[in-house]
Amino acid sequence: QVQLVESGGGLVQSGGSLRLSCAASGRTFRDYAVGWFRQAPGKEREFVATISQTSLVIDYTDSVKGRFIISRDNTKATVYLQMNSLKPEDTAVYFCAADRRLRVGATASSWGQGTQVTVSS
């Protein structure tokens, strides 16, 4: 497993932007694909985006395509989620997760504790 810590959440107005970071501990970060998930109160955890070990496989859920960009810096052992044109429905706790497979899903082996993103209207 790898230890993950999210940061960068906060309060932003509708239409604004925010960049989340997912920092990993250890020196095996490059062996893990990383994904972003989010969970709003009373709702199930939802997949947002995933990026493979060398950034060759990138996927987004339909609701964020064209607005969010996932990227990674293996030297810094960090994955980023640039969120643009934010909407109130993006409000949620955002989690990052890691897995040695090419795609990160709900069964990911490692999870961070989350960072709150609130989008006001």
Side-chain angles (χ1 to χ4, degrees):
Q1 296 185 13
V2 62
Q3 289 71 52
L4 306 172
V5 179
E6 303 93 337
S7 63
L11 176 64
V12 64
Q13 291 183 309
S14 180
S17 297
L18 207 59
R19 187 182 73 164
L20 305 183
S21 297
C22 174
S25 64
R27 301 181 63 182
T28 60
F29 177 74
R30 65 185 63 186
D31 295 330
Y32 291 83
V34 177
W36 285 97
F37 298 77
R38 64 189 181 186
Q39 187 169 27
K43 298 184 65 177
E44 298 274 319
R45 185 169 296 183
E46 175 190 23
F47 166 77
V48 177
T50 186
I51 186 167
S52 66
Q53 290 81 349
T54 58
S55 303
L56 294 181
V57 179
I58 296 175
D59 289 304
Y60 301 92
T61 191
D62 287 343
S63 63
V64 307
K65 287 181 178 178
R67 299 190 299 121
F68 291 10
I69 300 173
I70 188 171
S71 62
R72 67 188 293 160
D73 186 335
N74 287 344
T75 300
K76 297 180 179 179
T78 301
V79 169
Y80 305 96
L81 184 67
Q82 178 67 47
M83 305 184 294
N84 301 313
S85 301
L86 283 163
K87 306 173 182 179
E89 51 262 45
D90 294 319
T91 295
V93 176
Y94 283 70
F95 300 87
C96 62
D99 200 287
R100 289 186 180 272
R101 299 168 70 93
L102 287 176
R103 181 182 176 88
V104 180
T107 59
S109 59
S110 299
W111 292 83
Q113 66 179 22
T115 184
Q116 176 71 47
V117 172
T118 302
V119 184
S120 65
S121 59

